[in-house]
Amino acid sequence: MPKQRGSKHLTNRLSAQKVRTAPPGFYCDGQGLNLRVDPSGARRWVQRLVIRGKPRTLGLGGYPLVSLKEAREKALANRKLARAGGDPLAEKRRAQGIPTFAEAATKVIELHRSSWSSTRSAAQWQASLRDYVLPQIGTRQVDQITTADVMEVLLPIWSDKPETARRVRQRISTIMKWVITQGYRLDNPAGEAIGAALPKQNGIKTHHRALPHPEVAKAIAAIQDSDAYPATKLCFEFIVLTACRSGEVRHATWNEINLDTATWTVPPERMKAKREHRVPLPGRAIEILLEAQLLSNAKGSSNGEERTNTPGLVFPSPTGRPLSDNTISKLLRDLKIPAVPHGFRSSFRDWAAECTNTPREVMEAALAHIIKDKAEAAYARSDLLDRRRSLMNQWADYLEKQHRETVDVLHHA
């Protein structure tokens, strides 16, 4: 193949006529730009560059679709990017494969699925995106979505469904953060700017519905007197007595329970903070566990319906699987108890603050809350089990006293 001679520093060595008529060979134009002419007569542009210390060859397209002028412009832009430490090859790959928002959402959900503590999280993400986001921006490439687009998604639900809107914005933002890490864009259209632009939601912060602590014992009594499945009733009362999250209790297994020390150890994978949590069990909680054992033994010896058992569950559903969160929530709704399972943690916290002299760090440890102050957290190495045991015994005694007073009032009515 013919070779050109001359200094490698020369530029614009080719002419339009040369590009059109050159015989098969390899022709240098400068800036690493070369014209390759195949024996078939096909002509294409290639560029040789050093990208981050490694020699690379980039294809810039074929002639005449890419003219000599256009090839030179591409070559110069690539050279500048490479000299600045960038990667023209990566830029080209990204330009060719920018995903739609729906495709990015699918990747993010799969990325986080294994780290979510509840299997419901993925379904909740998919449902909220399907209902509020994908119809408007699902088919848009992620680099083309603007803050105005996100505003159009959020405004129709921002005031009427504030909690839903907050979660939708958070999920869009999480997806866009992944998009940024992949190099598809540099900014987050659901980030701080949109937070300042959206109207205030009447200054209302949504909390889990909770009962005042003097009414908790009545709720327990109402659940006990209901026709609910026995394990459901036991599970609910155990949630209240331990002030634990519903999922931690519903998935509890017998190998986590030590009846001798009256302690339940929740493994890290089921805790929000991903740290092991020891729960001191008051006397009534132990009674509940013994009742649950009797119920499990009775089911195990029964020749009735077949069950798909999850091994060792303390509070299994009638099918042997973990109880669903909705089972307990629906029971509360059906009995017109104005609270959700998680709200009883707030009831406990209010009681502890109002009715005891318990230090704040002991109350927060009982709820397995993370200490946000880094300096304080560095010294908080004990889980304060003994002090928490005293607090949980007081909570159980308080509920028992409230229950007795309720029964006395009804008896003398």
Side-chain angles (χ1 to χ4, degrees), residues 22 25 28 158 173 180 185 191 213 224 255 259 286 308 327 401:
C28 177
W158 192 250
S173 180
I180 292 170
R185 64 183 300 146
H213 58 80
Q224 289 175 338
N255 61 358
L259 293 175
I286 297 296
T308 304
T327 298
K401 180 183 177 183

Side-chain angles (χ1 to χ4, degrees), residues 38-112:
D38 294 337
S40 65
R43 299 162 193 271
R44 48 201 170 93
W45 300 106
V46 294
Q47 184 180 17
R48 290 175 174 172
L49 277 178
V50 175
I51 300 174
R52 296 177 180 174
K54 296 182 179 181
R56 293 283 190 261
T57 300
L58 290 73
L60 304 184
Y63 178 87
L65 185 62
V66 178
S67 68
L68 174 60
K69 179 183 177 182
E70 291 170 332
R72 285 172 175 167
E73 290 173 350
K74 287 185 177 184
L76 181 59
N78 288 340
R79 190 174 178 84
K80 287 181 177 179
L81 180 60
R83 289 185 65 181
D87 186 345
L89 270 175
E91 293 293 328
K92 181 180 179 181
R93 285 194 295 268
R94 281 193 286 269
Q96 292 173 340
I98 296 176
T100 64
F101 183 86
E103 292 168 341
T106 299
K107 290 182 180 294
V108 170
I109 290 172
E110 290 305 313
L111 182 66
H112 289 276

Side-chain angles (χ1 to χ4, degrees), residues 72 102-103 107 161 167 175 261 276 287 311 352 354 365:
R72 285 172 175 167
E103 292 168 341
K107 290 182 180 294
K161 301 177 180 179
R167 292 183 180 181
I175 292 167
T261 62
E276 180 182 277
E287 292 175 4
E354 295 172 8

Side-chain angles (χ1 to χ4, degrees), residues 339-383:
V340 295
H342 197 87
F344 289 92
R345 285 165 55 83
S346 296
S347 303
F348 163 78
R349 183 62 171 82
D350 291 343
W351 164 82
E354 295 172 8
C355 303
T356 75
N357 295 318
T358 304
R360 184 187 68 86
E361 60 268 24
V362 177
M363 294 186 285
E364 293 300 290
L367 294 168
H369 281 166
I370 299 173
I371 299 175
K372 295 182 179 180
D373 185 283
K374 293 183 178 180
E376 182 182 354
Y379 292 98
R381 299 183 181 180
S382 168
D383 66 357

Side-chain angles (χ1 to χ4, degrees), residues 70-148:
E70 291 170 332
R72 285 172 175 167
E73 290 173 350
K74 287 185 177 184
L76 181 59
N78 288 340
R79 190 174 178 84
K80 287 181 177 179
L81 180 60
R83 289 185 65 181
D87 186 345
L89 270 175
E91 293 293 328
K92 181 180 179 181
R93 285 194 295 268
R94 281 193 286 269
Q96 292 173 340
I98 296 176
T100 64
F101 183 86
E103 292 168 341
T106 299
K107 290 182 180 294
V108 170
I109 290 172
E110 290 305 313
L111 182 66
H112 289 276
R113 188 185 295 274
S114 62
S115 65
W116 282 326
S117 57
S118 171
T119 56
R120 298 172 59 210
S121 297
Q124 290 170 343
W125 268 63
Q126 290 165 336
S128 63
L129 295 175
R130 178 197 64 220
D131 293 342
Y132 303 108
V133 185
L134 299 186
Q136 296 195 55
I137 62 174
T139 59
R140 299 277 297 277
Q141 286 187 324
V142 291
D143 64 325
Q144 300 299 314
I145 295 171
T146 66
T147 300

